[in-house]
């Protein structure tokens, strides 16, 4: 478990929570949709993270990068949700009850994002924050609690893995 520690700057004019919410909610939903594959789950997770930010706004507003703080909270909640969903599927499987499924015809984007979601957590999170949320490496490093060099390594490994998997899946059979 990594704890995010950020410096508090008393001279920085903090945005109001409403301004923060309006700026961050759409970005969080996009990031979490890519993470979970489900927009309604993403909206709920984003709302939960922003609710926690609201509850701690006196402190969060003074952080150098409050968006980084809320992303870390959102990713933690996402991980918890993912574990809960896996446990639920396992329990239904043990009971011999299948969860209702929808017939979905995957598109190329669906294949890509399902592969991104299958990456190891740090690679998945770095990829989503970089390519969906368009965060700079320094912010990704702050959210993940690692160095920028480590973020670059996660991104490089993710790109290599995705290229390998997607090229073999999209090749025409001989």
């Amino acid at each position: 478990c990594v704890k995010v520690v950020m410096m508090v700057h008393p001279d920085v004019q903090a945005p109001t929570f409403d301004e923060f919410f309006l700026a961050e909610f759409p970005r969080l939903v996009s990031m979490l949709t890519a993470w979970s594959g489900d927009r309604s789950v993403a909206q709920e997770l984003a709302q939960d993270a922003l609710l926690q930010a609201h509850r701690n706004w006196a402190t969060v507003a003074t952080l150098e990068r409050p968006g980084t703080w809320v992303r870390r909270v959102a990713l933690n909640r996402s991980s918890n949700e993912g574990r809960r969903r896996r446990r639920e599927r396992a329990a239904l499987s043990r009971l011999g009850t299948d969860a209702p499924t929808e017939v979905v015809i995957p598109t190329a984007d669906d294949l890509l994002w399902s592969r991104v979601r299958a990456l190891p957590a740090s690679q998945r999170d770095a990829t989503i924050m970089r390519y969906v949320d368009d965060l700079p490496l320094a912010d990704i490093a702050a959210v993940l609690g690692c160095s920028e060099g480590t973020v670059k390594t996660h991104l490089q490994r993710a790109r290599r893995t995705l290229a390998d998997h997607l090229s073999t899946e999209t090749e025409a059979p001989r």
Side-chain angles (χ1 to χ4, degrees):
C1 180
V2 176
K3 185 174 185 173
V4 176
V5 177
M6 292 180 229
M7 296 177 55
V8 175
H9 290 280
D11 300 335
V12 175
Q13 177 63 34
T16 66
F17 179 77
D18 290 347
E19 293 167 337
F20 179 74
F21 182 94
L22 290 173
E24 295 298 329
F25 183 74
R27 295 180 68 187
L28 281 172
V29 170
S30 294
M31 180 184 82
L32 293 166
T33 299
W35 191 95
S36 69
D38 186 328
R39 187 166 178 78
S40 62
V41 168
Q43 289 172 330
E44 186 175 324
L45 291 167
Q47 290 170 3
D48 286 348
L50 287 164
L51 177 61
Q52 190 167 346
H54 185 263
R55 288 179 178 150
N56 298 296
W57 189 244
T59 302
V60 173
T62 61
L63 295 175
E64 181 179 358
R65 295 181 294 212
T68 302
W69 184 92
V70 82
R71 277 168 186 72
R72 179 72 261 158
V73 170
L75 287 176
N76 286 342
R77 292 191 182 272
S78 298
S79 295
N80 293 341
E81 176 67 16
R83 282 190 292 275
R84 185 195 65 74
R85 290 167 86 183
R86 282 190 298 278
R87 285 190 308 268
E88 182 180 273
R89 281 193 303 270
L92 289 172
S93 175
R94 282 191 306 271
L95 294 172
T97 308
D98 291 329
T101 58
E102 294 180 31
V103 175
V104 178
I105 300 170
T107 65
D109 287 345
D110 293 336
L111 176 61
L112 169 66
W113 289 110
S114 70
R115 287 294 176 210
V116 169
R117 286 188 291 277
L119 291 169
S122 52
Q123 292 177 27
R124 175 199 62 221
D125 296 346
T127 300
I128 290 171
M129 285 187 273
R130 182 70 175 150
Y131 298 109
V132 175
D133 204 14
D134 200 26
L135 289 181
L137 296 175
D139 287 358
I140 297 169
V143 171
L144 296 180
C146 61
S147 70
E148 287 184 45
T150 302
V151 171
K152 289 178 185 177
T153 299
H154 291 324
L155 292 170
Q156 178 185 24
R157 289 178 180 165
R159 285 190 297 268
R160 188 177 11 201
T161 300
L162 291 170
D164 290 346
H165 285 297
L166 294 172
S167 66
T168 59
E169 290 175 359
T170 57
E171 288 179 359
R174 295 179 184 200

